[in-house]
Structure formats: structure tokens, C-alpha cells
Amino acid sequence: MQALVGCDFSSAPSKRKQIVLAWGSLEQGRVRLTALQGLASLDAFSACLHVPHSWVGGFDLPFGLPRELVQALGWPMLWEPCVRHYAALERRDIRDRFAAFCDARPVGGKFAHRATDVPAGSSPSMKWVNPPVAYMLHAGVPRLLDAGVYFPGLQPEPSTGAAQRKVALEAYPGLLAREVLRHRSYKSDDVAKQNADRLIARKDLVTALEMGQTRLQLRLKLSHAQREAVIEDASGDALDAVLCLVQVAWGWQQHCQGAPLYGLPQGMDPLEGWILTA
């Protein structure tokens, strides 16, 4: 059975704020959570990626930058050379170049957006604060590349039958969460905001996933202990990893049914990337 993994990523993980992996599988429309794994450093994340194990993963970090931005900066217009160029920069250089780009643009249109941002409701991948998704791309995608991971729609497909294939798809838990909760908040890293309303929202979201009450029409299967652990994590990191797992399970289902690119649109921009299920 194909191993699936959902990843709630952090560009600066620590013992307190870990990268969380939700491992699972898909069988007959049920997404079974098999394990939650926390990684307290980027080195631990890299080591996990290099384990010789086949998986299809949904990662909550942007895989590409807006085409408009890349063109304006004169960076490579092909995805992998662009990512390698970006990875060679220091974070302060990224901040300064992106800030200069924004400063030259009118109020209300400071950031460049990817085509996927509107249907997904996601933050611009060039944003370096609140949330710092630009740094997440900088920290995460090069490590995935170095582990030999395949990115559908962004790279040529590897030869069939490649041993221990790893596949990465861009996921966004907020897209699936909003379908159920609308504008209700279900998480916060601020302890003062970890209140009863957000706890109830997490319970409602998990229940909806278990009942298959989303357009993905997949049912989440949790043990009692797993359900409690996911709901009691007030930061929402465990639940976000599980949401990514459900999204990537949908992508794997599309692949098994013969859809190209694991359900990503065939007309997606091969420089920018696309968020799964958007």
C-alpha cells in the first residue's frame, strides 16, 4: 500500500515549534492516519527525506515564486534553476530584494501573486512575514530537491519504475479547513488565544473530515488517541499536517484513476506551481 504523508512545515523549527508529519494511507475512500512525527530541526527534516522509502507527500509550503516577480528580478525562468538560484541567497538578501520590489509598486498591489493564490486563498509566496512563506520555500524546496524528490508539473517525469520514488505536491490546509469552518479560527501559536471557540472549531473540523463532509469525498480514520492528540494541539500543527494528508490522499486517488499530474491542472504554470485541490 502506498505510503502518504502530510507535512506542516516551519522554516525555523524548534523543540517547541516542530515540523509535523502525518503519515497514512488510502484504501476504499478512507484516509487512515498511521503516525504523527515531529521534527525539531531542518537537518532532521532532511534526514527524514533521505530515508530510502517510497511516499507521496503533501507539503504546506510554496513550491514556486510568482512569474511576474522572477521576471522583474531577472532570475532564471525555468523552475529548478530558479529554485537553485533562490536557495543560494541569504534570507536578508531575499527580504531586501522583495521589499524593494514591493516599494516600487502602488498601495494595494505591493505583492506579486501566483495564479494559484486566488482559487486557493493563499498568501503570496514572496511574503516574508506573517506568514514567512518565502522563507519556507527557501528552506524546504531545496531540501526536497536534494533528496531526489519528484515535483509533478514542475519537472520532467522520471523514468517509470524508478526505485523508491518520492513525490511532492504542494498542499494548503487552510483551503480544506475553510470549506468546513468558513471564517472560524481553529488554531493559534499565541497561548492567550488558544480558547474554547478554537477548540470547538478543531472538533468540528475533525468530525467533518471523519464523516467525509468535504468536496474531496474522503473519510478520515483516526484512533481515539490520535483524535484526542490532533484536537488537543491548540497550535493546529498536527491538524494542519492531517489536512495535508487528506489533500495528498485525494491527489493519489486521482493518480490511481489515471489523472495526469496527481490531479494538478495540466495548464498550470511550470514556474509557479499549483496548490493541490485548488
Side-chain angles (χ1 to χ4, degrees), residues 1 56 61:
M1 187 174 297
V56 179
L61 70 155

Coordinates of all heavy atoms in Angstrom, one line a residue, residues 1 56 61:
M1 N 0.8 -1.2 0.0 CA 0.0 0.0 0.0 C 0.9 1.3 0.0 O 1.9 1.3 0.7 CB -0.9 0.0 1.2 CG -1.9 1.1 1.2 SD -3.1 0.9 2.6 CE -3.9 -0.6 2.2
V56 N 4.2 9.5 -1.3 CA 3.7 10.7 -1.9 C 3.3 11.6 -0.9 O 2.5 11.3 0.1 CB 2.5 10.3 -2.8 CG1 1.9 11.5 -3.5 CG2 2.8 9.2 -3.8
L61 N 4.0 24.3 2.0 CA 4.9 25.4 1.7 C 4.8 25.7 0.2 O 4.6 24.7 -0.6 CB 6.3 25.1 2.1 CG 7.1 24.0 1.4 CD1 8.6 24.2 1.5 CD2 6.7 22.6 1.9

